[in-house]
Amino acid sequence: YEVKKQQDEMRKLMQSPDLSVFRQSLFWDTSIEKIDWIKQKRAVIQRVFERGNREEITEIIRFYGREVILGELEKIPHFLSSFNENVEKYLGVIL
């Protein structure tokens, strides 16, 4: 039982980025602890690249990986110019 409990906790930690990096105001419309980082990755990537600071963007790149983010970019609507600017700055890709 204890081993299973520890495994579940480790699995949960591996399925989310370092939450201490993110400002609470970045996810103003939800509780950051309730975000499903896997199922909602497109929305998370969009939010962080539109409104995130250097540390938040760097953490989201570390968590998802460059390839996953690049794969999601074409599916994400670009409403704010900061999104394109941050993608170019942190990933070196021009949209």
Side-chain angles (χ1 to χ4, degrees):
Y1 172 79
E2 292 297 320
V3 172
K4 170 117 173 74
K5 187 175 174 182
Q6 284 182 332
Q7 288 174 340
D8 289 344
E9 288 176 20
M10 288 299 293
R11 195 172 300 115
K12 201 172 193 180
L13 284 175
M14 292 173 61
Q15 292 181 354
S16 70
D18 179 1
L19 300 183
S20 69
V21 171
F22 297 98
R23 296 167 291 145
Q24 197 168 22
S25 62
L26 183 61
F27 296 101
W28 70 89
D29 54 346
T30 190
S31 171
I32 196 166
E33 293 83 17
K34 293 183 180 181
I35 295 173
D36 185 327
W37 297 93
I38 305 304
K39 289 182 182 177
Q40 298 171 319
K41 69 182 168 192
R42 190 173 305 147
V44 168
I45 292 168
Q46 180 177 3
R47 176 76 59 97
V48 172
F49 273 88
E50 284 180 344
R51 303 175 188 278
N53 61 32
R54 183 178 57 82
E55 291 82 16
E56 293 160 340
I57 293 171
T58 302
E59 176 59 17
I60 221 64
I61 293 170
R62 183 204 64 76
F63 177 67
Y64 288 117
R66 180 181 169 82
E67 294 305 314
V68 170
I69 292 174
L70 290 174
E72 292 295 324
L73 288 180
E74 63 188 38
K75 303 169 193 168
I76 297 173
H78 310 145
F79 295 120
L80 300 178
S81 62
S82 59
F83 181 86
N84 292 340
E85 293 166 6
N86 284 330
V87 166
E88 183 176 355
K89 182 176 180 179
Y90 294 98
L91 297 173
V93 175
I94 299 175
L95 299 177

